[in-house]
Amino acid sequence: MLKEQAMSVVLDGNPLKAMQTSHTHTPQNALSAQELSQEIKSFITGVDTAHGRKLSIREHARCAVRLLRSVPPCRGAVLEHLRGVYDEHVSSFLHHMEMEGDTSTGVASNLEDIIQEIHGVLSEFIRLNPRAWAPLVSAWAVDLLGQLSSKHAGRRAAPHSSSLNELLQLWMSCAATRSLMEAYSQCLAAMLAWCPDACVDALLDTSVQHSPHFDWVVAHIGSAFPGTIISRVLACGLKDFCSHGSKDQGDQGRGDKGSRVPKIGSVVGILGHLAAHHSDSIQKELLRMFQESLNPSGPLSPSSSSSSWESSPQLRRAAVPFLLQLAALSPNLLGAVSAELVELLRPPVLLQLHALLQGLPREELDNMLGLAVHLISQSPSGGARVLRFLADTATPASVIMSGPTHSPHEGVREACDRLLQMLLLHLHKLVYNRSDGGEGRGSPHHSASSQAQRVIPFLDELQTHVGELCAETLRLERKRHLWLHQLLCLLSVYGGPSVATEALCQLLTLARNPEELALAWQLHTPLSACLPGLIPAAVTRCVAQIHTHTLGPRQLRQLLLNLAAAIQSQDEERRGAAGAQSSMAIQLGSAVSGHLHDFCLLLLHGDPAVSHATIRLVSSSPLPRTASPARLLLLSRAAVTYFFLALRRRGEAGRDGGQAGEAVSCSVLLLSRLAAYSPLALKSVLQQLVEGALHKGNSNLFGGQIADMAGDPEVSPSLSPDLGASLLDINCRFGNTVNFSGSVWSVFHAGVIGKGLKVRSAKPTPDPALVIQNVQTLLAVTVQCCSSSGLNGSINGSRHTPPDPDEPLPINAEAAKVIAVTLVENICPDVANSELSWPPEEHSRTTVERDIHIRRCFEAHPVIFPLLHVVAAGRPALCYCSAVLRGLLATLLAHWEASREASATDSPWHLQASCLLVSCMGEGQLLPPVLGNVHEAFPYLTPFEVRLLLLAVWEYVRGNGPMPQKFVFSSEKGLFCRDFSRDGDVARYVSPIHSVLHKNIDRLGHLCWRFQL
């Protein structure tokens, strides 16, 4: 009876026949009933019944092993006892490590052979009858591993739980834990074919209880069975998730992870450990679970058992919420599937998903959408693809969409529309509340934590796609561009000045019409409150792109046109149309003015469209408040160069060329504004205008001829013989390089001995109307520059305002002097500034070569006379052209003296030059009115009579030198005037005029009143 009671205490109530037959005894090892009874008593009491002493740990363990071999139904009690044996071995192992620091000596603790014997017995049972022993041993082994890992985690020899590799190396070097790991692996391998869930369930339960000290077991098992562990862990987690209900998943993803059901946290931990080396397998299994959940009647996969989750409609419905919950708990899992999941969401899949979610309660569906929004905002990669998918799917079908995009189902479109709206609202809250905090924000710990909370992975990833977002926004598709524009604003606030600057710069570059350009103003309006200085930063970025040649010609042209259109909108502000656009225009104009020296370089761009856009921008932009002389000179040089280039393009396009005419008008406006900016700018503009008009490349614009340095028109290469590099050719050019004017070495190159006179090239005749138009344009910009109100201020302490508003402002004397000096320098550089007085007419023979050169310059450049008239209007500036006037008059006197023509009209150019010269001198008050009118009689006279009158002019100027000191400023007229009454008697210079009048009274009678003193 006692024996039977003892047996009833140890053995299970229902001994399994399979276990009894799973172990075969040899006759030598078989125990008799009496021996078996003694073994049981010894195991229960821990006392050797034969000798009456207490059993040692080693002897007690051997007794348990013998009992397990002989009576398998007592497995529960034996395995429970063996926990202490394993714990003792682990304690001894760690103690020796702590004492000696060497795992190779003395760590067996007399129990390693017992551990090996126990492992051999269990391994044999599992091999012979896995269905009976594998579930039991696997649960026992994994639970014991968890207990040992947690119990000894604080030991000095044990590494920290975060050091997974060191922890795994430590426990695998211990015989006890290594034996348990091998036993569990054998059980898992045996159970894969028929019941893997039980083994994985035990692993999950233990992971929940003993994490993170149990992570090394998960890592080792997962590495050994990656495919099985991943699929079965997900299946077990899904079953547990479904059994606990999924109504709280919305709160879990965004709140406390500890409030969730236990096993899902363990699933996340296990998959997180495996993600380092098996991310592809995890991704594949997660996507497979998603696809299988959408197919209600899908066949089971070959590897699925009858108890697989795919066969349960309830589990399939819970799969999508379960996957959302997993992604919310693990950023690694979210990153693994977010990008690939978008590729799976094709129209058929979307319809299946829509049908699956339609059956969910309203509250649960709202929680799922909120969780999906949270996951998208926390997605570390693939944000651009997710955004494009949502925008494409949510865009109404009536919108003409680019690309092969199919119109989605209306229910699917509405769902994506709602999801996108919720995403924008959620991002808005995250962006504008991320800097909020309570007390203690200044503490280092709080700053670090708040900095981590401020990270929004979705927006971080989109920062690299600002250009694409801007391009999509500018497509102006209904609803779509509103969503993207709102997202662009949030992204700019989140990314700070750099992202906001890039976004604004992209919009200014890519906008092609006023409607698209208005999106830039709409972006700037909310950003200006939190990001000051955005406009200057955007302009600086645009300039940097210009310098680095990042933009192509078309993009560059569009950017310049958009900037010009934005600045020109300041007119609305002046007309009282206040608003965000006009305010931004003022800021933009101020920012562009600081970079005019950078933009002006584009005036000479090779693409005419770019240069035209540049002149529109520069002419409409305000000038900077202060500018260095170097930048002013650079700007004026580029503006003048473009002015002549615009004249040439207008000629090529015809007088009615739209853009060419606009370019000329803009360049005139720019030059006049530059001239009014400062005296330095005025001088630079006028000098370069005169030099450009006299340049041989521009002379044909004003009806001139291209002349060489000696003043002779260039000979056509087809008409001049090729003499090669000869001494004769060098001698012919000798006077061009060394000037010997006024000496006996003067040389005249009228031709070559034996070849005759130089052959004049056949020059094309320019369009007279076009020439007149160009001359008028040149004179208009010159007069505007010389009469600019900014420089036409106080002269001798007074300022004159014309009584008639239509009367043009007087020419500024200093500006006219600049033109006069520049003309002299370009026509005859060797003239000294002091050569104002005129010598006797006979003295002109010593300056014959210089005078001929001056005359040839007048022939080659007809525009000189109009410029001299401008100089004459700015008295006393014409005095500084005295040498040029004298040289021209000397050649005219010589011509009329040598002329044998019957009438002066037979020499049309000389007659015209004589008339223009005298009228110019009269207007500049170098001559009194009675002498300044003599040119009116020239067309009616003979060459000899013309010479007599010109000689009288010469004598008067010689006797009354053209000195600026003779001019006095008149405050009434606002001009310098000359009092001829102080110059002596004029009658002696008029007597030749009266003689000529009397001789030709029949033809000059109507002009007599013009020559009265």
Side-chain angles (χ1 to χ4, degrees), residues 94-107 156:
L94 295 177
H95 176 73
H96 280 277
M97 285 193 63
E98 293 169 352
M99 297 300 295
E100 301 180 7
D102 187 4
T103 60
S104 61
T105 58
V107 297
R156 181 163 54 89

Side-chain angles (χ1 to χ4, degrees), residues 706-723:
I706 300 178
D708 59 13
M709 293 181 63
D712 294 324
E714 291 184 348
V715 181
S716 174
S718 60
L719 300 177
S720 60
D722 185 11
L723 302 178

Side-chain angles (χ1 to χ4, degrees), residues 194-197 231-232 234-236 238-239 285 288-289 292 298-316:
W194 48 276
C195 185
D197 288 351
S231 60
R232 299 324 305 172
L234 285 174
C236 293
L238 175 60
K239 293 178 181 178
E285 191 62 32
R288 188 191 70 83
M289 175 174 281
E292 292 292 338
L300 299 178
S301 60
S303 60
S304 301
S305 63
S306 59
S307 62
S308 177
W309 67 270
E310 293 94 334
S311 60
S312 170
Q314 183 181 4
L315 292 180
R316 285 200 305 270

Side-chain angles (χ1 to χ4, degrees), residues 17 45 125 131 268 330 493 510 578 585 598 746 776 895 960 963 991:
K17 294 181 180 180
T45 61
F125 284 160
R131 289 184 177 270
V268 170
S330 174
V493 176
L510 301 177
D598 297 304
S746 297
Q776 290 177 346
H895 169 77
N960 303 276
M963 299 299 174
S991 56

Side-chain angles (χ1 to χ4, degrees), residues 345-357:
L345 296 178
R346 301 299 180 187
V349 177
L350 289 175
L351 287 176
Q352 293 177 349
L353 182 60
H354 179 65
L356 178 67
L357 298 181

Side-chain angles (χ1 to χ4, degrees), residues 571-857:
D571 296 338
E572 299 180 5
E573 174 76 10
R574 298 188 182 99
R575 290 192 297 264
Q581 181 172 348
S582 57
S583 175
M584 179 181 175
I586 296 175
Q587 298 182 44
L588 189 61
S590 177
V592 170
S593 67
H595 293 278
L596 280 185
H597 59 282
D598 297 304
F599 287 109
C600 71
L601 299 177
L602 298 176
L603 290 173
L604 307 180
H605 195 276
D607 190 341
V610 174
S611 59
H612 176 258
T614 305
I615 193 61
R616 289 186 57 182
L617 171 62
V618 177
S619 62
S620 60
S621 171
L623 297 177
R625 294 182 179 271
T626 57
S628 64
R631 290 183 175 179
L632 278 178
L633 294 177
L634 177 65
L635 182 57
S636 62
R637 186 179 300 112
V640 172
T641 305
Y642 180 80
F643 169 74
F644 292 107
L645 184 62
L647 290 180
R648 186 171 301 279
R649 289 174 179 170
R650 184 177 65 177
E652 295 172 354
R655 284 177 290 177
D656 297 330
Q659 281 196 355
E662 181 188 8
V664 173
S665 301
C666 291
S667 60
V668 171
L669 175 61
L670 175 60
L671 290 174
S672 61
R673 293 175 59 221
L674 278 176
Y677 183 76
S678 68
L680 175 62
L682 171 64
K683 182 177 180 180
S684 175
V685 168
L686 292 177
Q687 282 182 341
Q688 294 177 60
L689 277 175
V690 175
E691 291 174 357
L694 300 181
H695 191 272
K696 63 180 181 179
N698 300 324
S699 61
N700 59 340
L701 294 174
F702 309 103
Q705 306 175 26
I706 300 178
D708 59 13
M709 293 181 63
D712 294 324
E714 291 184 348
V715 181
S716 174
S718 60
L719 300 177
S720 60
D722 185 11
L723 302 178
S726 65
L727 183 60
L728 179 61
D729 181 58
I730 297 175
N731 184 58
C732 288
R733 301 185 182 184
F734 186 71
N736 295 342
T737 56
V738 182
N739 192 357
F740 292 101
S741 61
S743 66
V744 297
W745 296 104
S746 297
V747 182
F748 301 95
H749 297 291
V752 179
I753 297 175
K755 300 294 183 180
L757 295 175
K758 286 186 177 179
V759 181
R760 299 291 179 123
S761 60
K763 57 182 181 298
T765 304
D767 183 6
L770 184 60
V771 170
I772 293 174
Q773 184 184 20
N774 290 338
V775 172
Q776 290 177 346
T777 304
L778 177 64
L779 293 180
V781 67
T782 305
V783 171
Q784 287 185 27
C785 293
C786 293
S787 60
S788 298
S789 59
L791 282 181
N792 209 31
S794 59
I795 303 176
N796 292 346
S798 176
R799 180 167 182 168
H800 173 69
T801 303
D804 186 1
D806 297 332
E807 180 184 352
L809 291 172
I811 301 296
N812 185 276
E814 291 297 324
K817 179 181 176 181
V818 172
I819 300 178
V821 173
T822 307
L823 281 172
V824 173
E825 290 178 352
N826 285 269
I827 295 174
C828 192
D830 63 341
V831 173
N833 293 331
S834 60
E835 295 187 31
L836 300 182
S837 60
W838 287 37
E841 190 269 337
E842 297 82 6
H843 183 71
S844 62
R845 298 173 184 175
T846 61
T847 58
V848 172
E849 185 180 6
R850 188 180 75 177
D851 296 342
I852 293 176
H853 174 78
I854 293 174
R855 191 256 302 164
R856 287 176 175 173
C857 285

